[in-house]
């Protein structure tokens, strides 16, 4: 015996002020379906969680809305729908994510284990992160949702006066060291007696190595 589900059960935290998800099909949808008959039916399904859409590689994109599915009974796939489907999603307020990506579940990806894909789906160009509702346009029938980027935001570090002083001291020391190394190299190379001695050759090689190290450090810091 199945239990009836009302609109409050299909919302996040009991929010019923606006629909959690909706899908609008174009009037000419059956033009993209082969072998249409009078008994052709379109089915819809709603999944409150992604427990049936598990990925082996759970990257920094997380399902951020209800999953809504649309399919045609007896048809494996319906593609190249024009105009596309209009699908809206209310972002899950319990997920702190940004940059939503309109996606659908593709069971053929990841060696047929299944994964989310954005192929054939586009987000409304007028969307901005301050909006709670995301509008997507997709040209096929399948299971749809939105993925949110939940990767941690890296806040830029502010340079304190102490850090600026230490940076100035570091660069001053590097410049002085490089200048002294250049003088040492020139002095030993200009003297035939010094550059022919074994310890003189070792010192010249050491100076070149240190100078290369200092220059590499400066370039790496500013790259």
């Amino acid at each position: 015996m199945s239990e009836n589900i009302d609109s409050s059960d299909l919302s996040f935290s009991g929010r019923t002020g606006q629909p959690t998800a909706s899908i609008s099909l174009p009037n000419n949808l059956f033009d993209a379906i082969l072998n249409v008959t009078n008994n052709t039916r379109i089915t819809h399904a709603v999944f409150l969680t992604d427990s049936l859409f598990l990925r082996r590689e759970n990257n920094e994109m997380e399902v951020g809305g209800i999953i809504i599915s649309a399919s045609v009974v007896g048809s494996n796939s319906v593609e190249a729908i024009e105009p596309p489907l209009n699908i809206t999603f209310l972002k899950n307020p319990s997920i702190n994510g940004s940059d939503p990506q309109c996606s659908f579940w593709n069971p053929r990806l990841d060696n047929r284990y299944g994964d989310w894909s954005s192929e054939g789906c586009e987000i409304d160009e007028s969307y901005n992160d301050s909006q709670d509702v995301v509008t997507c346009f997709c040209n096929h029938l399948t299971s749809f949702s939105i993925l949110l980027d939940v990767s941690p935001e890296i806040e830029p570090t502010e340079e304190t006066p102490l850090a600026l002083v230490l940076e100035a001291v570091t660069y001053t020391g590097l410049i002085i060291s490089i200048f002294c190394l250049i003088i040492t190299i020139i002095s030993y190379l200009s003297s035939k007696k010094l550059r022919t001695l074994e310890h003189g050759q070792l010192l010249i090689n050491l100076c070149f190595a240190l100078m290369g190290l200092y220059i590499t450090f400066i370039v790496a810091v500013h790259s």
Side-chain angles (χ1 to χ4, degrees):
M1 179 177 181
S2 61
E3 181 181 356
N4 294 332
I5 300 177
D6 58 25
S7 60
S8 62
D9 296 321
L10 299 178
S11 62
F12 298 120
S13 303
R15 295 175 57 178
T16 58
Q18 53 185 325
T20 308
S22 66
I23 182 170
S24 300
L25 306 178
N27 296 328
N28 60 345
L29 173 63
F30 289 103
D31 295 340
I33 303 174
L34 300 177
N35 302 322
V36 177
T37 65
N38 293 332
N39 295 325
T40 300
R41 292 176 298 170
I42 298 177
T43 62
H44 298 275
V46 173
F47 303 91
L48 303 182
T49 67
D50 60 344
S51 57
L52 297 179
F53 303 87
L54 299 179
R55 294 172 287 173
R56 287 194 292 189
E57 297 182 2
N58 191 6
N59 53 25
E60 296 177 344
M61 302 296 292
E62 184 175 339
V63 176
I66 278 180
I67 301 172
I68 185 169
S69 175
S71 60
V72 176
V73 177
S75 178
N76 293 330
S77 63
V78 180
E79 301 177 349
I81 301 174
E82 188 63 35
L85 283 67
N86 186 317
I87 315 168
T88 61
F89 298 95
L90 178 65
K91 291 191 295 185
N92 191 338
S94 64
I95 298 179
N96 185 18
S98 59
D99 300 328
Q101 179 179 334
C102 297
S103 304
F104 74 97
W105 181 255
N106 189 342
R108 292 173 292 183
L109 295 180
D110 195 10
N111 294 325
R112 297 191 176 276
Y113 191 87
D115 202 349
W116 293 98
S117 172
S118 60
E119 183 178 358
C121 290
E122 297 180 354
I123 191 172
D124 189 357
E125 296 180 354
S126 63
Y127 171 81
N128 59 73
D129 274 336
S130 63
Q131 297 176 342
D132 293 331
V133 178
V134 180
T135 302
C136 300
F137 302 100
C138 298
N139 62 2
H140 52 274
L141 294 182
T142 182
S143 299
F144 305 97
S145 189
I146 53 173
L147 300 183
L148 297 178
D149 186 358
V150 294
S151 57
E153 296 183 0
I154 301 177
E155 298 182 357
T157 56
E158 297 182 359
E159 293 187 350
T160 62
L162 178 59
L164 295 175
V165 172
L166 294 176
E167 183 178 0
V169 172
T170 301
Y171 283 113
T172 302
L174 289 174
I175 293 174
I176 294 176
S177 299
I178 293 175
F179 180 74
C180 294
L181 290 173
I182 293 175
I183 294 178
T184 303
I185 292 173
I186 293 175
S187 300
Y188 271 75
L189 290 179
S190 61
S191 174
K192 182 178 181 181
K193 180 179 179 181
L194 293 177
R195 70 172 181 265
T196 54
L197 296 176
E198 183 177 356
H199 73 275
Q201 295 178 359
L202 293 174
L203 182 60
I204 292 174
N205 292 331
L206 178 61
C207 291
F208 274 115
L210 289 175
M211 189 164 59
L213 177 64
Y214 295 151
I215 294 175
T216 303
F217 174 78
I218 295 175
V219 173
V221 169
H222 289 277
S223 61

